[in-house]
Amino acid sequence: MWEPYLKLIRENCSEALHILDRFHIVANMNKALDQVRAEETGRMKREGRTAVLKKCRWLLLRRSENLGAEQHFRLRDLLRYNLKTVRAYLLKKAFQQLWEYNSPAWAASSSTNGAARPCDPASNP
């Protein structure tokens, strides 16, 4: 993290165990999602399967409200596949919902019920 940011935390939140901010959490989630996508793309290529993830990096990393109409259709089509990348994207999207809650109780309820759903292997994305 940026040193001035860490200094500010030490000065104002000295009793805090962990400081988590939206920017760094989302950046780490995007990095993990991109890693899953890259690994899955390579595996599919080695297996001789269709490259459905080709040119989809920014579809998955951008927020859905920043996508154009054609990109929304491409993303919708991609989400029909049962891929690790799709499950990682759905987990990221569910986690982003936490930033919309005003109540810690609602956020906790969502994180224990809703955010885990995309990881369930029995679910059909």
Side-chain angles (χ1 to χ4, degrees), residues 1 64 87 93-94:
M1 285 187 157
S64 59
R87 290 190 296 275
K93 194 156 177 72

Side-chain angles (χ1 to χ4, degrees), residues 63-123:
R63 294 177 58 111
S64 59
E65 57 266 14
N66 294 335
L67 297 176
E70 182 180 328
Q71 292 170 321
H72 274 288
F73 290 122
R74 287 181 54 214
L75 180 61
R76 182 201 61 198
D77 292 342
L78 178 64
L79 294 178
R80 293 180 180 172
Y81 290 93
N82 185 17
L83 300 171
K84 288 181 183 180
T85 303
V86 170
R87 290 190 296 275
Y89 171 81
L90 293 173
L91 181 60
K92 173 191 146 184
K93 194 156 177 72
F95 189 80
Q96 285 179 335
Q97 182 64 38
L98 290 177
W99 302 113
E100 306 300 322
Y101 290 110
N102 294 326
S103 162
W106 279 101
S109 172
S110 173
S111 67
T112 58
N113 296 327
R117 220 173 283 134
C119 288
D120 181 6
S123 69

Side-chain angles (χ1 to χ4, degrees), residues 42-56:
R43 182 181 51 80
M44 292 173 78
K45 186 177 181 180
R46 285 189 304 277
E47 293 173 356
R49 295 172 55 192
T50 306
V52 296
L53 294 171
K54 191 173 183 176
K55 297 186 179 184
C56 288

